[in-house]
Amino acid sequence: MVLVYVLIAFAADIDSAAKLEIKILEKLVLDVTRKKKPLVYFIGVPKKKIHLLTSYSSLKETKTEDKADFVFIQNIKKKFDATKPTMALDYSSFEKCENCIGLFTWRNGRPILLLIEENLLKFHISLPDDYKYFIESKNFNVGKK
């Protein structure tokens, strides 16, 4: 009985931003993989975030990248060569991952989702029309003429 109380209390402690992030990332992974319970591999992602994503979504962690359907990276310090659909969770990791399908992060309290058209094609990913607003070409340069 005590265990149930602890889990309920923990769920209530999740802030609205974390709940929104879990929903967005879960939907994206489900739409990319087209699996009900995709296996996800995490590189550099804090344990707390991994716990939230795997406890409050249908995503399941795998301990090896080769078994993963999807990869999340964060806090990457050197170039990363994505061989599976990979999402960066910070700008620095996104810059070091030429083949990442996109970026999810927060700026000024708002979620930012950016998907790279060429990398989606490279991994043969077609997403529902809901994502069109978030898809950009690698060649798109903000503020440049």
Side-chain angles (χ1 to χ4, degrees):
M1 191 60 123
V2 174
L3 180 62
V4 173
Y5 176 76
V6 172
L7 290 176
I8 291 171
F10 183 72
D13 287 344
I14 300 174
D15 66 16
S16 60
K19 287 178 187 176
L20 179 60
E21 182 170 350
I22 291 166
K23 286 181 183 179
I24 291 169
L25 294 177
E26 178 186 31
K27 180 175 177 2
L28 178 68
V29 174
L30 293 173
D31 288 341
V32 166
T33 64
R34 298 181 182 187
K35 293 185 175 185
K36 290 183 179 183
K37 293 189 181 206
L39 295 175
V40 180
Y41 186 66
F42 298 92
I43 301 172
V45 179
K47 288 183 181 188
K48 181 178 180 181
K49 185 176 275 194
I50 294 170
H51 175 74
L52 289 174
L53 280 168
T54 57
S55 297
Y56 299 102
S57 74
S58 60
L59 307 180
K60 300 298 171 205
E61 182 180 14
T62 181
K63 296 297 181 187
T64 61
E65 187 175 355
D66 62 317
K67 292 183 181 178
D69 301 307
F70 197 92
V71 177
F72 284 110
I73 62 171
Q74 189 172 359
N75 303 312
I76 298 298
K77 302 294 183 214
K78 58 184 180 177
K79 185 179 175 185
F80 181 80
D81 185 28
T83 58
K84 303 239 176 168
T86 302
M87 176 68 61
L89 299 177
D90 63 347
Y91 283 108
S92 176
S93 297
F94 180 67
E95 290 174 345
K96 292 174 179 62
C97 182
E98 186 177 317
N99 296 320
C100 274
I101 64 165
L103 165 71
F104 179 86
T105 191
W106 292 85
R107 186 171 189 175
N108 299 327
R110 294 189 175 134
I112 295 174
L113 177 63
L114 172 65
L115 299 168
I116 303 301
E117 181 177 27
E118 292 85 351
N119 293 348
L120 291 170
L121 292 171
K122 186 180 291 184
F123 288 105
H124 309 286
I125 298 169
S126 64
L127 293 169
D129 288 343
D130 303 358
Y131 291 95
K132 280 189 177 183
Y133 177 81
F134 305 103
I135 297 174
E136 295 288 343
S137 172
K138 279 185 181 181
N139 301 322
F140 182 76
N141 291 316
V142 178
K144 303 228 177 177
K145 292 182 180 181

